[in-house]
Amino acid sequence: MDDYTWRKRLEARRRRRQQERLFILFMIVTVLTFTFLYFTVYTKTPEYAMRELVTAYKAGDAKTFRRHVDLNSVTLQAYDDLTSDLFKYDTQLSERERSLFENFYVLIRRQMCQGAVKVLNTYLDTQEWTLPDDILKGRQLGVDYDLLLDRSLIRHTSLIELEGVEHLGAEATATFSIVEDYTQMPFELRVTLRDADNESINVGAFEFEIFERTIKFPGFTFNLGGSDWKVVSVDNYREYLDAASPILRQNLAQYIDDTADIVYRYNRSFEEEQDIFITLQRSPYGIMTANQRTEASGYITDTIIPTLEARQAELDQIPIPQGAQFLAGLRQESTRITIMAWKFYIRGITENSAAALDTAASLHKQEMVFDQRVEEIIHNSAVARNLPELP
């Protein structure tokens, strides 16, 4: 091999090694650049925050979900959307009563939203839907809070995926694909985001004047404390309600029609059985004799409870449209509690147990509440009969 050829090979080897070093250097710089951009830029973007939110929702990560949703702000806006037509379908209200209740629900907006935040926080922690146990418990505000939650669709709406994020200056708008579980109706929900922590530093910014004009170079802005993008409002929640609610109401109306004959027939039976039961326990001294107690307990066991079970069995044979699940569930619970109340009553009169009679009375009150809720749903009632007073 001559000297020229040898030098050419050495030169080629040096170039190859130089290219390899440059390639390795390029890869290192690229990885470092992407790592830098990821942790200093992308992780501070609303896109990253919303992807974290979706992941947290699916994984049940309550802490991360709360970090990206301002529940107080969201519920205040959602309450206004939800109650805007709360009394629209209540045919039992006069115009004056409708106006009174509309004004009343403006006054209790804060308490209702505090209750909603409590319900949502409990669900995030336990994955169970419960009701507030303070002023909103039961029917103290003249509304069935459980029914209000059902009308909000929150308990039967599933988040599918993040569709996209659009920046709008200091705010951003995110779009999520969701589905209403009962009807399987798809919908695109839009939310507004704000960055609650925008502490930053600017590097390389400067300005100078030339020809009497000021030229500015903005440089690069980096977040110091980390961004805190939060959902602060649901922009088209009312549209979602308007799209799903008519389908659900149609389902409910169909179920009510399908079960009307069963309800009517058994109501007549219950009236007859009630008259007979009153006769059985009637006593000139106001105290049932031992024979009356035996007859009454036998009548309850052999007639009243089987009638309740038979009615529920017939109701269970009727197909339940998804929009009627709430009503069907109330009827099932009412039947269950009523049977329990009668069984405790039997124990009370046969064992002379005051505790069992007290339990029976308590269960009977619960059953009356369930029955009233059923009637209000059937008649599209939004509120209880009397305007409540706030304590």
Side-chain angles (χ1 to χ4, degrees):
M1 181 184 298
D2 57 36
D3 186 57
Y4 175 78
T5 303
W6 177 252
R7 286 199 302 272
K8 293 292 289 182
R9 287 188 177 183
L10 288 177
E11 182 64 26
R13 185 179 298 174
R14 283 195 295 270
R15 284 198 303 269
R16 187 165 56 251
R17 288 178 178 174
Q18 186 178 18
Q19 290 172 352
E20 290 173 353
R21 293 191 186 100
L22 289 174
F23 177 76
I24 293 173
L25 179 62
F26 172 77
M27 292 301 297
I28 292 173
V29 170
T30 300
V31 170
L32 291 175
T33 300
F34 274 102
T35 302
F36 175 78
L37 291 175
Y38 180 83
F39 285 104
T40 61
V41 179
Y42 180 66
T43 57
K44 318 303 180 187
T45 64
E47 290 93 338
Y48 180 82
M50 292 302 96
R51 295 196 182 282
E52 269 200 329
L53 184 147
V54 173
T55 301
Y57 169 83
K58 294 181 177 180
D61 181 354
K63 182 179 180 180
T64 301
F65 188 89
R66 285 192 185 95
R67 194 170 76 243
H68 295 307
V69 179
D70 185 344
L71 291 176
N72 291 304
S73 178
V74 169
T75 51
L76 285 170
Q77 177 260 329
Y79 176 82
D80 296 337
D81 287 339
L82 178 61
T83 57
S84 64
D85 69 343
L86 182 62
F87 310 96
K88 180 178 179 181
Y89 302 98
D90 193 334
T91 57
Q92 296 183 333
L93 294 177
S94 66
E95 286 304 314
R96 180 179 177 278
E97 290 172 329
R98 195 184 310 277
S99 176
L100 282 173
F101 275 111
E102 286 174 348
N103 292 332
F104 177 71
Y105 277 93
V106 171
L107 293 176
I108 64 172
R109 180 173 182 257
R110 180 177 59 83
Q111 292 96 327
M112 295 289 278
C113 290
Q114 286 175 346
V117 170
K118 189 171 184 178
V119 169
L120 291 169
N121 275 321
T122 301
Y123 176 76
L124 290 173
D125 291 330
T126 66
Q127 298 298 300
E128 293 182 0
W129 293 106
T130 59
L131 296 179
D133 56 1
D134 44 26
I135 188 174
L136 297 173
K137 185 176 182 179
R139 310 168 64 80
Q140 289 174 288
L141 293 183
V143 70
D144 188 332
Y145 201 78
D146 196 17
L147 177 58
L148 188 68
L149 283 177
D150 194 69
R151 287 176 173 171
S152 74
L153 310 184
I154 184 66
R155 294 187 295 195
H156 41 95
T157 294
S158 296
L159 174 61
I160 305 301
E161 195 52 82
L162 175 67
E163 296 294 329
V165 178
E166 180 181 355
H167 293 260
L168 302 169
E171 295 184 346
T173 300
T175 303
F176 296 93
S177 57
I178 62 173
V179 63
E180 198 284 315
D181 297 333
Y182 285 169
T183 63
Q184 289 299 297
M185 183 195 78
F187 192 81
E188 287 195 348
L189 203 65
R190 295 190 309 275
V191 302
T192 293
L193 318 173
R194 292 198 186 99
D195 191 355
D197 182 7
N198 56 4
E199 182 184 0
S200 60
I201 184 173
N202 190 280
V203 178
F206 68 94
E207 62 181 56
F208 63 92
E209 291 188 5
I210 184 172
F211 302 120
E212 299 182 350
R213 296 185 62 182
T214 301
I215 307 298
K216 295 183 178 181
F217 286 86
F220 299 94
T221 301
F222 301 97
N223 285 309
L224 295 178
S227 64
D228 189 18
W229 287 95
K230 288 181 178 291
V231 176
V232 295
S233 68
V234 181
D235 302 334
N236 61 340
Y237 178 53
R238 183 67 252 176
E239 295 175 27
Y240 176 48
L241 294 174
D242 290 341
S245 296
I247 304 174
L248 297 172
R249 282 196 297 270
Q250 186 178 7
N251 288 170
L252 180 61
Q254 182 63 52
Y255 176 71
I256 292 172
D257 289 343
D258 291 344
T259 57
D261 178 65
I262 297 173
V263 172
Y264 178 81
R265 284 191 291 106
Y266 278 96
N267 281 347
R268 304 289 77 77
S269 297
F270 291 144
E271 289 174 1
E272 294 174 3
E273 291 173 4
Q274 183 180 37
D275 292 339
I276 295 173
F277 174 74
I278 292 173
T279 301
L280 288 174
Q281 65 175 355
R282 190 173 293 152
S283 171
Y285 306 104
I287 300 175
M288 295 175 66
T289 65
N291 186 52
Q292 283 180 307
R293 295 184 183 195
T294 300
E295 289 184 359
S297 62
Y299 187 72
I300 294 169
T301 302
D302 299 335
T303 303
I304 295 179
I305 290 179
T307 303
L308 286 164
E309 292 173 337
R311 187 192 75 151
Q312 190 57 53
E314 285 196 40
L315 288 173
D316 290 342
Q317 293 300 313
I318 302 298
I320 304 173
Q322 293 294 349
Q325 294 287 334
F326 186 74
L327 174 57
L330 287 178
R331 283 175 168 171
Q332 291 169 349
E333 190 65 9
S334 174
T335 300
R336 185 185 70 83
I337 290 178
T338 304
I339 292 174
M340 285 179 58
W342 280 119
K343 289 181 177 180
F344 273 101
Y345 180 79
I346 291 173
R347 185 186 304 175
I349 62 175
T350 57
E351 300 176 6
N352 198 26
S353 171
L357 290 174
D358 288 342
T359 302
S362 177
L363 289 170
H364 179 60
K365 290 179 181 178
Q366 292 181 42
E367 176 254 324
M368 291 177 66
V369 170
F370 275 103
D371 289 346
Q372 185 176 353
R373 294 168 74 185
V374 169
E375 286 301 308
E376 289 174 359
I377 293 174
I378 291 175
H379 295 100
N380 292 314
S381 298
V383 294
R385 295 185 179 182
N386 299 315
L387 191 69
E389 295 182 1
L390 286 175

